Amino acid sequence: MEPRRATVRDLRRRNRSTLLSTLFFEGPLSRYELGQRTGLSAATVSNVVGEMIDDGLVVEAGLVESDGGRPRVLLRVSPGYGSVIGVDVGETGVKMELFDLSMTRLAAVDRALPPPQPDPALVGPLIAAGLTELLGQAGVDEADVLGVGIGVPGTVEQGEKVRVHAQAIGWDGIALADLVRECGVGAPLFVENGAKTQGQAEMWFGAGRGARHAVIALIGSGVGATVITDGTTYRGSTSSAGEWGHTTLMFGGRLCRCGARGCLEAYVGAEGILDRFRKARGGRAIPRPDEQSQLDFLLASTDRSATAAAVVEETVGYLGAGIANLVNLFNPERIVLGGWAGLALGTLLLPDIRRATAAHALRHAYEQTSIELCQLGPDAVAVGAATLPVEALLNLGSDPRERRPARRSVTPASVT
């Protein structure tokens, strides 16, 4: 079959997408600077920018002096054009955040989920109620919402019906977007793996910015990763790439929540770390009410407890071996460690984690890699989820409320 020829309309959409992406990531910029950075002609820039101003998508943002001529008008994407919402569905709760189009946070809501596995029948109504609360806090009408991004644990099968496969928490082909729509949410919905939304957030705004080859690692109750190759998220044939937590660290080792033995997640995920600590304490409970406070207790106990110190030392070794596998497999220029448990470990132990990685990685590959902490903190998954409707806007150059776009990844480094 012959490839479809690009039409004038396709070209105009591509130019609009290029200019809008450049303004979003690099603005405010003048029309002259837009032409210089995109390679588009002055006439094309003027025409397309004029259309976007008429649509309310781009606004003027002051003046800048030019060399010997009239001051140039600066342009930026209009923060008030619309709002976006990011939802982080975790294993113990749901975090929801509302942003304007400059990604300024306007409101936030956190809701707990009953452990140990979140019931998808509860998640849909919880998200819908949270969205209503967000809009009320910020005084935003639902009609002004460009889209709602939802980051979830597990693999997300993209298609006509988006399904979530999260074996470790008992979700098998859950059509989460449908469950949310059934609760009355009319805004466009975008569902993606939480590690991938964190990865996109860090690539756009955080520790991954400017890197062409990176791995963004998420360590919470479970473990995942986003692999960026040549500026693009690697998804695999069915979008399940990045399940780093279910690579085998030890043959015949500890039982993982996925049902296999020896998975990395069973050793460095918070649930696995705390289970090892309880067993090392002879089965005694950890004196805190939830995983995050229990991990904090473990880390704070290393100075006075040989048992705690040994568990943490082992965890650093396991994590170093797991990161070394990423170094050897993908040869990234940067590895970013995130997730609430990853930040808790990395904030205290990053030099030790680097040394453990160096001990297991190929020397030359390790020397080309930096290991950094996530800059966006525990909100990274929700921020990344909110970028999904923004990504649709940038890819299309038009409002995602008009149609559901084909999915692909955009990073600042790939904008030309």
Side-chain angles (χ1 to χ4, degrees):
M1 186 174 68
E2 292 185 7
R4 186 177 71 86
R5 290 186 178 183
T7 65
V8 172
R9 183 179 179 183
D10 292 333
L11 181 59
R12 291 185 69 82
R13 183 181 298 118
R14 189 179 308 127
N15 291 341
R16 184 172 169 119
S17 173
T18 297
L19 290 167
L20 188 61
S21 296
T22 305
L23 279 176
F24 181 82
F25 291 119
E26 303 179 42
L29 297 169
S30 68
R31 289 171 176 82
Y32 174 78
E33 290 170 319
L34 280 170
Q36 291 291 303
R37 298 189 188 204
T38 64
L40 297 174
S41 69
T44 296
V45 171
S46 180
N47 289 336
V48 175
V49 165
E51 291 175 359
M52 292 194 291
I53 290 175
D54 290 343
D55 292 341
L57 188 50
V58 170
V59 294
E60 295 183 356
L63 300 172
V64 63
E65 295 294 330
S66 61
D67 297 332
R70 297 165 58 184
R72 295 188 180 123
V73 176
L74 293 175
L75 304 165
R76 65 177 298 189
V77 175
S78 173
Y81 177 77
S83 301
V84 292
I85 293 173
V87 180
D88 173 8
V89 178
E91 298 178 20
T92 59
V94 176
K95 179 186 291 290
M96 293 165 275
E97 299 184 347
L98 174 70
F99 303 84
D100 66 17
L101 206 48
S102 69
M103 295 305 294
T104 298
R105 186 182 293 103
L106 304 178
V109 171
D110 286 288
R111 290 290 178 269
L113 284 169
Q117 296 183 337
D119 183 348
L122 298 177
V123 172
L126 194 65
I127 291 175
L131 298 186
T132 299
E133 187 173 343
L134 283 177
L135 297 175
Q137 284 183 22
V140 172
D141 192 282
E142 186 176 355
D144 295 326
V145 176
L146 300 179
V148 179
I150 306 174
V152 297
T155 298
V156 179
E157 179 186 356
Q158 302 289 348
E160 185 174 338
K161 185 180 288 290
V162 179
R163 296 188 180 277
V164 181
H165 303 272
Q167 187 171 323
I169 60 170
W171 288 20
D172 184 14
I174 300 298
L176 182 61
D178 290 353
L179 296 178
V180 175
R181 290 192 189 98
E182 288 169 4
C183 296
V185 176
L189 299 177
F190 303 82
V191 183
E192 184 56 278
N193 168 265
K196 289 184 172 67
T197 70
Q198 176 193 261
Q200 181 146 296
E202 288 294 328
M203 292 300 292
W204 282 22
F205 309 120
R209 189 172 173 88
R212 300 290 294 173
H213 300 272
V215 178
I216 317 296
L218 184 151
I219 302 178
S221 296
V223 175
T226 300
V227 179
I228 309 296
T229 58
D230 200 24
T232 300
T233 299
Y234 178 71
R235 298 181 180 279
S237 61
T238 60
S239 199
S240 67
E243 290 294 336
W244 175 49
H246 300 291
T247 56
T248 301
L249 182 67
M250 188 176 299
F251 175 75
R254 287 173 50 83
L255 182 65
C256 180
R257 298 181 304 169
C258 73
R261 288 192 173 273
C263 294
L264 177 68
E265 182 174 298
Y267 295 88
V268 305
E271 185 174 308
I273 296 171
L274 295 173
D275 184 59
R276 288 191 294 110
F277 185 38
R278 276 189 293 271
K279 289 179 178 177
R281 286 163 52 89
R284 286 184 296 137
I286 303 170
R288 292 293 184 273
D290 56 64
E291 281 189 347
Q292 293 194 36
S293 59
Q294 287 174 1
L295 184 60
D296 289 341
F297 175 84
L298 167 60
L299 294 173
S301 300
T302 55
D303 289 339
R304 61 181 183 272
S305 166
T307 300
V311 170
V312 170
E313 183 179 1
E314 285 180 350
T315 300
V316 168
Y318 293 140
L319 181 54
I323 295 174
N325 287 338
L326 296 175
V327 172
N328 294 344
L329 280 171
F330 298 108
N331 185 212
E333 60 193 280
R334 197 173 306 165
I335 293 175
V336 179
L337 183 60
W340 66 265
L343 285 171
L345 292 165
T347 299
L348 293 175
L349 301 163
L350 189 59
D352 298 322
I353 292 169
R354 287 171 174 153
R355 283 191 290 271
T357 303
H360 293 88
L362 292 170
R363 186 182 307 111
H364 180 71
Y366 177 76
E367 289 171 351
Q368 313 308 311
T369 302
S370 66
I371 303 174
E372 312 293 340
L373 288 183
C374 165
Q375 293 180 356
L376 300 179
D379 291 340
V381 173
V383 173
T387 68
L388 300 179
V390 176
E391 178 188 36
L393 175 69
L394 300 183
N395 286 348
L396 286 172
S398 60
D399 198 316
R401 289 170 291 194
E402 297 173 5
R403 61 174 178 159
R404 180 67 182 264
R407 295 274 294 117
R408 70 176 177 85
S409 219
V410 172
T411 68
S414 67
V415 174
T416 57

